[in-house]
């Protein structure tokens, strides 16, 4: 019943390059390579990307003429299709003028030449690599950067297809960050120095806007929620969650009707908050006076926020906007993005519990997520419904965003495995995280990088992709190994 509120997409531009002399020398050559170019465009579009094709550029005049069109399209990533050899004069004006990530795609139509029947024309049709060093070299001379080169075959090459898909994912991340509205509501949990962040610095580094919201904005919308809207949300919650009996933790109870109702009404209010303020995401924390409406609303965010996470609207607890950005990046890579921190080690089996008591991304749950009523939220005021699940088994990726002494941002990235096994039935999400060379060594290396204690947790191994995103944004990154 949970569907994305916004399409996960990005804008890619592409142009082909060639040496105009070949077209004059060999009849039908240009038509042939334009056919290959059309096939590459089709591959990119299969990744649910908005693609703008700027056509064939085989002279410096055409390059200069294309620049206003490329700038006007405001693409997230620009592909240069190396259809054959081309002189760098067709590339230099573009790499100089366009300040976007640039990927050279040098994909041969044939896996190899038919050597017995080889001819000059056959070589030229497969000369995709020939000009690549010339292009990267001129980029360096112009103090510009080629972000990646995709080498391989145009047809039947799974590795090349995966690299294309990766850059489509990166375009989706960049597209979502550009102009995103990442709300801040409330204040930092008392004493958490690592959570503080300057909204101006956030805007400068990530190209987002940070609306500053009040808990009253949510409370006033809560008052407008109708019984019909609440009951509709209750049906969604019942369909998406299990509500088992408590097990070993005396803090937990079977989800009460009161907590279900409160969570559903707040979830409906959060939908209205997202719509009213056009939010891409929200980081929040608020305590409020005991028995006040503000506390009643703030302490019941978790269920609605977990649903919103699954709908592509990252919602992050404890006012942690840096981790909110990490969650957004992971969601747009389609790998989840749960709010997480380290919990106790298991030194017998060499793993560590990874999770949190806050909102989570339901799309990456192993099985059906659980709702429990908690008589108290440990370390925080209030009580109510809380989400519990473990991540899907298999590879996992962690992304923490911290700040350095100079005020710059830093990505701390790690990869591990989520493995089958019981988790504490505490109403908090956890997963069994295994890391190399040993979990203890990995965690020691992680904490020595100066991270915050939170990070985003997703499925799959995507450290290399996240490193590329950091490079595009000009942000320091380290992958802990």
């Amino acid at each position: 019943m949970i569907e994305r509120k916004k399409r996960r997409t990005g804008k890619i531009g592409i142009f082909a390059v060639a040496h105009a002399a070949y077209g004059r020398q060999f009849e039908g050559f240009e038509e042939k390579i334009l056919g290959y170019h059309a096939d590459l465009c089709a591959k990119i579009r299969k990744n649910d990307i908005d693609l703008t094709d700027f056509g064939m550029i085989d002279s410096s005049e055409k390059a200069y003429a294309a620049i206003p069109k490329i700038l006007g399209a405001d693409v997230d990533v620009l592909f240069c299709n190396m259809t054959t050899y081309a002189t760098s004069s067709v590339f230099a004006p573009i790499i100089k003028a366009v300040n976007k990530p640039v990927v050279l795609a040098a994909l041969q139509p044939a896996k190899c030449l038919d050597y017995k029947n080889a001819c000059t024309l056959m070589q030229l049709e497969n000369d995709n690599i020939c000009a690549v060093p010339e292009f990267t070299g001129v980029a360096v001379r112009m103090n510009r950067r080629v972000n990646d080169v995709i080498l391989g075959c145009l047809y039947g090459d799974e590795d090349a297809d995966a690299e294309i898909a990766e850059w489509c994912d990166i375009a989706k991340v960049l597209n979502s960050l550009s102009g995103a509205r990442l709300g801040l509501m409330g204040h930092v949990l008392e004493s958490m120095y690592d959570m503080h962040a300057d909204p101006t610095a956030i805007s400068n580094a990530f190209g987002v806007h940070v609306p500053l919201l009040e808990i009253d904005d949510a409370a006033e919308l809560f008052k407008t929620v109708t019984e019909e809207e609440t009951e509709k949300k209750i049906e969604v919650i019942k369909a998406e969650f299990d509500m088992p009996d408590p097990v070993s933790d005396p803090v937990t109870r079977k989800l009460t009707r009161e907590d279900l109702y409160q969570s559903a009404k707040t979830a409906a209010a959060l939908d209205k908050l997202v719509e009213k303020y056009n939010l891409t995401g929200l980081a929040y924390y608020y305590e409020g006076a005991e028995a006040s409406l503000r506390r009643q609303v703030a302490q019941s965010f978790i269920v609605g926020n977990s649903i919103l996470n699954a709908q592509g609207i990252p919602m992050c607890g404890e006012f942690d906007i840096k981790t909110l950005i990490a969650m957004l990046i992971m969601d747009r890579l389609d790998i989840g993005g749960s709010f997480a921190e380290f919990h106790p080690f298991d030194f017998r089996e060499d793993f560590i519990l990874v999770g949190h008591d806050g909102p989570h991304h339901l799309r990456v749950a192993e099985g059906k997520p659980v709702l429990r009523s908690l008589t108290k939220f440990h370390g925080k005021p209030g009580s109510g419904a809380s989400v519990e699940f473990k991540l899907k088994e298999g590879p996992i990726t962690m992304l923490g965003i911290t700040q350095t002494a100079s005020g710059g941002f830093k990505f701390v990235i790690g990869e591990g495995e989520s493995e089958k096994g019981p988790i504490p039935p505490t109403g908090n999400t956890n997963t069994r995280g295994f890391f190399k060379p040993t979990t203890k060594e990995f965690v020691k290396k992680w904490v020595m990088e100066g991270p915050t204690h939170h990070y985003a947790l997703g499925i799959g191994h995507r450290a290399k992709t996240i490193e590329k995103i950091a490079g595009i944004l000009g942000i320091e990154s380290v992958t802990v190994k």
Side-chain angles (χ1 to χ4, degrees):
M1 296 177 68
I2 296 178
E3 297 180 355
R4 281 188 172 274
K5 286 182 175 288
K6 294 181 180 179
R7 177 181 167 219
R8 194 179 70 93
T9 194
K11 295 188 291 184
I12 288 180
I14 189 170
F15 62 96
V17 294
H19 189 31
Y22 296 159
R24 295 191 295 268
Q25 291 175 323
F26 297 93
E27 186 177 350
F29 177 74
E30 185 173 350
E31 291 78 8
K32 196 76 172 288
I33 60 174
L34 283 173
Y36 296 141
H37 179 66
D39 289 346
L40 176 57
C41 290
K43 274 183 181 286
I44 294 171
R45 288 192 178 99
K46 285 181 181 178
N47 292 280
D48 196 17
I49 280 291
D50 294 333
L51 183 69
T52 303
D53 182 7
F54 301 104
M56 174 60 71
I57 297 177
D58 57 8
S59 69
S60 61
E61 291 88 349
K62 289 182 181 179
Y64 281 107
I67 289 170
K69 299 174 185 175
I70 296 171
L71 295 175
D74 191 30
V75 298
D76 304 302
V77 173
L78 183 63
F79 270 62
C80 174
N81 185 11
M82 315 291 293
T83 62
T84 185
Y85 174 75
T87 68
S88 51
S89 65
V90 306
F91 178 66
I94 295 172
I95 192 71
K96 180 67 177 175
V98 179
N99 189 25
K100 297 288 183 178
V102 172
V103 178
L104 305 185
L107 300 174
Q108 287 183 197
K111 290 186 183 296
C112 62
L113 298 182
D114 178 0
Y115 299 110
K116 287 184 178 180
N117 300 298
C119 62
T120 300
L121 181 58
M122 185 186 298
Q123 177 177 319
L124 296 180
E125 288 180 8
N126 291 278
D127 243 347
N128 311 81
I129 185 59
C130 189
V132 169
E134 183 175 341
F135 279 35
T136 56
V138 80
V140 170
R141 291 189 67 184
M142 292 187 162
N143 198 28
R144 289 290 191 261
R145 180 184 177 198
V146 170
N147 293 79
D148 203 0
V149 178
I150 303 176
L151 303 177
C153 295
L154 182 58
Y155 307 107
D157 187 334
E158 292 182 359
D159 290 339
D161 290 348
E163 290 184 70
I164 291 168
E166 178 186 43
W167 276 102
C168 290
D169 279 343
I170 290 170
K172 292 171 185 177
V173 170
L174 299 176
N175 187 267
S176 289
L177 283 174
S178 179
R181 291 176 54 82
L182 302 178
L184 270 177
M185 176 187 289
H187 57 82
V188 172
L189 188 82
E190 175 61 24
S191 302
M192 285 186 180
Y193 282 17
D194 61 330
M195 291 300 95
H196 291 278
D198 171 9
T200 302
I202 292 283
S203 296
N204 181 50
F206 298 101
V208 304
H209 176 60
V210 185
L212 302 178
L213 306 181
E214 303 288 345
I215 188 64
D216 300 85
D217 296 320
E220 289 304 310
L221 290 170
F222 180 84
K223 294 177 185 177
T224 71
V225 175
T226 66
E227 286 301 307
E228 182 181 359
E229 290 169 330
T230 303
E231 288 300 322
K232 186 176 180 180
K233 193 65 75 170
I234 285 174
E235 291 306 309
V236 172
I237 293 171
K238 285 181 175 179
E240 297 294 335
F241 294 88
D242 279 336
M243 304 166 192
D245 291 328
V247 186
S248 58
D249 189 348
V251 170
T252 66
R253 296 184 293 174
K254 186 176 178 65
L255 185 72
T256 65
R257 172 66 189 178
E258 294 77 15
D259 287 344
L260 173 60
Y261 182 87
Q262 175 66 39
S263 294
K265 188 171 182 179
T266 300
L270 286 169
D271 287 347
K272 295 186 177 191
L273 185 77
V274 167
E275 182 177 358
K276 180 176 180 180
Y277 295 98
N278 190 26
L279 296 180
T280 308
L282 175 72
Y284 71 96
Y285 181 77
Y286 193 84
E287 295 187 357
E290 189 171 354
S292 67
L293 178 61
R294 294 183 182 92
R295 177 177 290 190
Q296 179 187 351
V297 172
Q299 74 183 17
S300 56
F301 271 22
I302 292 173
V303 177
N305 281 356
S306 295
I307 293 171
L308 283 167
N309 283 341
Q311 292 177 311
I313 310 293
M315 308 289 276
C316 184
E318 296 183 10
F319 204 71
D320 189 354
I321 192 168
K322 297 190 292 295
T323 299
L324 176 68
I325 293 168
M327 292 166 67
L328 176 61
I329 290 170
M330 284 200 166
D331 178 81
R332 296 313 191 259
L333 291 176
D334 205 25
I335 61 173
S338 274
F339 190 43
E341 64 188 8
F342 290 124
H343 288 165
F345 279 101
D346 186 313
F347 290 113
R348 291 185 308 173
E349 297 185 44
D350 188 35
F351 69 83
I352 191 167
L353 291 170
V354 180
H356 207 280
D357 61 353
H360 298 283
H361 202 300
L362 301 183
R363 290 186 184 274
V364 295
E366 181 70 39
K368 215 170 185 182
V370 164
L371 283 185
R372 301 186 191 276
S373 285
L374 303 185
T375 60
K376 62 183 76 174
F377 293 141
H378 67 273
K380 302 165 188 170
S383 60
S386 189
V387 176
E388 173 186 306
F389 68 74
K390 54 186 173 182
L391 257 68
K392 291 178 179 177
E393 294 166 20
I396 57 175
T397 297
M398 302 149 59
L399 171 59
I401 301 180
T402 187
Q403 283 187 275
T404 65
S406 64
F409 293 93
K410 175 181 174 181
F411 284 13
V412 184
I413 309 163
E415 293 179 338
E417 300 288 327
S418 169
E419 295 191 11
K420 186 176 182 179
I423 60 171
T426 57
N428 294 181
T429 285
N430 271 296
T431 203
R432 291 175 163 226
F434 290 77
F435 301 93
K436 294 180 178 179
T438 68
T439 297
K440 183 171 74 171
E441 289 175 275
F442 172 87
V443 173
K444 182 173 181 178
K445 291 176 183 177
W446 178 277
V447 301
M448 292 305 292
E449 291 295 337
T452 66
H453 73 285
H454 296 146
Y455 44 85
L457 181 63
I459 58 175
H461 282 167
R462 299 302 298 271
K464 289 183 179 179
T465 304
I466 295 170
E467 286 173 359
K468 291 176 182 177
I469 293 168
I472 292 165
L473 296 172
I475 291 174
E476 177 186 355
S477 70
V478 60
T479 298
V480 176
K481 297 178 180 177

